[in-house]
């Protein structure tokens, strides 16, 4: 039964009212694009605007006029190969910034691939046009490079180069028709290679893309690494430097200004309000059901955009009425999710030598960290917490369910919050404290905060309230397009096919998917408004001739010219 109609939610006529369900990056992007084109938009969000991109406050931690300590879902980066998201950031006003929120991005010049057991990590400047900040960084890069050359046998180095070159020169048809159905692990023949090869070049996909090599599509992982490679070279068409973060907590720098701008454009927000169902009449959506503080309600609109993540969309579109109207929606049940979420350590002093992202290559839980508050425009101790906390050290855990840790012999989800903090810290220490004075010591930690999405860890009821979409082998062909067979229903989320740029679950794919949904809606509405901009990933002209040659081979049923196995 539908709930009683909500008068407040009944938009007026004109066939230009839009109900957007989900207030993450995709949902807010839909609202942004449509509001600027004169549509009347209401966003319904079950928790908080911003989705996985938000920063949160740790309640009760602010003292003497300071704000509560900021927490994040996990570390994040805004890569140079992102095209759609930066376009939106430039169009969100921010006081004093000529290019709006975009000007709150600050460059992270340095990335370290840290190793355990006292081995030197490989320090990489973020783009060849950048230089190392000091001689120690240069020393680390040289020693790390030599260590990699020692750890990886020459024949494995040559094999890796050949496999990467093969992917870069593969035509699109081969990528979607062959590499989509092969795991990244198998593409690199990792099972037959050394442990260092596996960790550095195969398992890194889980650290970078939260995508386990043994199940992730070689097409998705390969395309992501291809974008990273070209971005590292500061390629033409790049939006900016390879690696950037915000210069303040994400809500301060981006989400709150975005909400203010959308409200100024007439967008209305209802939260908490979770969609619970869609009602079909004929071949159209007649109404939606939501649940919130007012109880069950019925929402009417001309157009409906489902911008909730995969695990919340699946039960909504799996009803007999929806599947009868669009049988292709049944494929969503075959798509999968994974866990990736963070922990913040609040330290009593700034860390030396950690001026960028650190990937802990040998960590069981696939960790990446960033000492983020050093990039913020405001002094941390003066503005947040008790004054004793001087740095926010943000760590993301990408393997929660499969691999036991070092201290307690359990996967992260089976550990208590305290055990997760101790285990994460211990895994990082094995990578950073290998030589000289230790960088990480236990006395640094004032407190910590686990991502709010991790619920009841260490118990049989442990769950992740905000999992990531997982690009498994062959999943592209089960992913829907933004346009459904129901004329007034559109999908916008990172599980939607977004073929123009990168493909792994990210803010960029959510932004692109949202634009496809907006353009499909404008087409259905017969709108004369200009369409939302779409941007292609970089395709170097020097490689196109090789791709054309490979296309001829693929259509003839022949392997890639470099595929000698």
């Amino acid at each position: 039964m539908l709930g009683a109609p909500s008068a407040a939610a009944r938009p007026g006529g004109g066939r230009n009212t839009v109900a957007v369900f989900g207030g993450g990056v995709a949902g807010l992007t839909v609202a942004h694009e449509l509001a600027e084109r004169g549509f009347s938009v209401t966003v319904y969000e079950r928790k908080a605007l911003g989705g996985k991109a938000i920063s949160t406050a740790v309640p009760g931690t602010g003292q003497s006029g300071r704000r509560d300590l900021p927490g994040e879902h996990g570390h994040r980066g805004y890569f140079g190969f992102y095209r759609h998201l930066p376009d939106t950031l430039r169009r969100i006003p921010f006081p004093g910034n000529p290019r709006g929120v975009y000007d709150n991005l600050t460059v992270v010049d340095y990335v370290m691939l840290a190793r355990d057991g006292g081995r030197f990590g490989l320090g990489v400047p973020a783009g060849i046009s950048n230089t190392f900040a000091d001689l120690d960084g240069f020393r680390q890069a040289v020693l790390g490079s030599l260590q990699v050359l020692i750890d990886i046998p020459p024949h494995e180095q040559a094999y890796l180069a050949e496999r990467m070159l093969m992917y870069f020169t593969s035509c699109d048809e081969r990528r979607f028709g062959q590499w989509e159905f092969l795991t990244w692990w198998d593409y690199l023949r990792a099972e037959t290679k050394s442990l260092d090869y596996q960790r550095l070049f195969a398992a890194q996909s889980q650290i970078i893309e939260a995508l386990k090599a043994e199940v992730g599509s070689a097409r998705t992982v390969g395309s992501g690494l291809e974008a990273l490679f070209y971005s590292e070279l500061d390629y033409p068409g790049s939006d900016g430097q390879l690696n950037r973060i915000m210069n303040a907590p994400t809500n301060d720098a981006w989400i709150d200004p975005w909400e203010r701008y959308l409200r100024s454009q007439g967008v209305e927000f209802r939260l908490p309000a979770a969609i619970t169902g869609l009602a079909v009449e004929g071949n159209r959506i007649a109404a939606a059901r939501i649940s919130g503080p007012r109880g069950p309600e019925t929402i009417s609109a001309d157009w409906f955009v489902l911008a909730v993540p995969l695990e919340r969309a699946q039960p909504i579109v799996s009803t007999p009425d929806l599947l009868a109207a669009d049988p292709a929606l049944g494929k969503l049940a075959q798509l999968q999710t994974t866990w990736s979420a963070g922990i913040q350590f609040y330290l009593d002093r700034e860390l030396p030598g950690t001026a960028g992202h650190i990937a802990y290559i040998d960590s069981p839980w696939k960790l990446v960290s960033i000492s983020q508050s050093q990039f913020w425009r405001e002094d941390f101790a003066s503005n947040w917490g008790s004054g004793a906390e001087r740095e926010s050290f943000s760590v993301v855990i990408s393997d929660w369910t499969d691999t036991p840790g070092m201290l307690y012999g359990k996967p992260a989800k089976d550990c208590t919050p305290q055990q997760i903090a101790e285990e994460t810290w211990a895994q990082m220490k094995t990578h950073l404290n290998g030589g000289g004075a230790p960088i990480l010591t236990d006395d640094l930690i004032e407190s910590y905060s686990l991502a709010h999405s991790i619920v009841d860890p260490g118990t049989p009821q442990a769950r992740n309230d905000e999992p990531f979409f997982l690009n498994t082998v062959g999943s592209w062909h089960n992913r829907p397009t933004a346009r459904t067979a129901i004329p007034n229903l559109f999908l916008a989320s990172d599980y939607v096919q977004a073929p123009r740029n990168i493909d792994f679950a990210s803010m960029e794919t959510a932004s692109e998917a949202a634009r496809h949904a907006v353009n499909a809606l404008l087409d259905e509405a017969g709108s004369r408004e200009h369409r939302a901009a779409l941007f292609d990933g970089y395709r170097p002209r020097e490689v196109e001739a090789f791709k054309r040659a490979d296309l001829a081979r693929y259509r003839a049923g022949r392997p890639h010219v470099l595929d000698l196995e």
Side-chain angles (χ1 to χ4, degrees), residues 383-431:
N383 289 277
W384 287 278
S386 67
E389 303 90 353
R390 298 187 176 277
E391 181 158 334
S392 174
F393 193 63
S394 182
V395 187
V396 70
I397 302 169
S398 289
D399 187 343
W400 282 84
T401 60
D402 297 328
T403 308
M406 296 166 41
L407 299 181
Y408 298 100
K410 297 186 291 186
K413 74 176 183 63
D414 295 332
C415 293
T416 67
Q418 181 65 29
Q419 289 172 339
I420 292 171
E422 293 173 358
E423 183 76 65
T424 301
W425 193 255
Q427 291 182 30
M428 292 190 296
K429 286 198 298 185
T430 66
H431 287 69

Side-chain angles (χ1 to χ4, degrees), residues 270-281:
R270 286 280 308 276
L271 66 162
I275 182 172
T276 59
L278 293 167
V280 181
E281 288 185 7

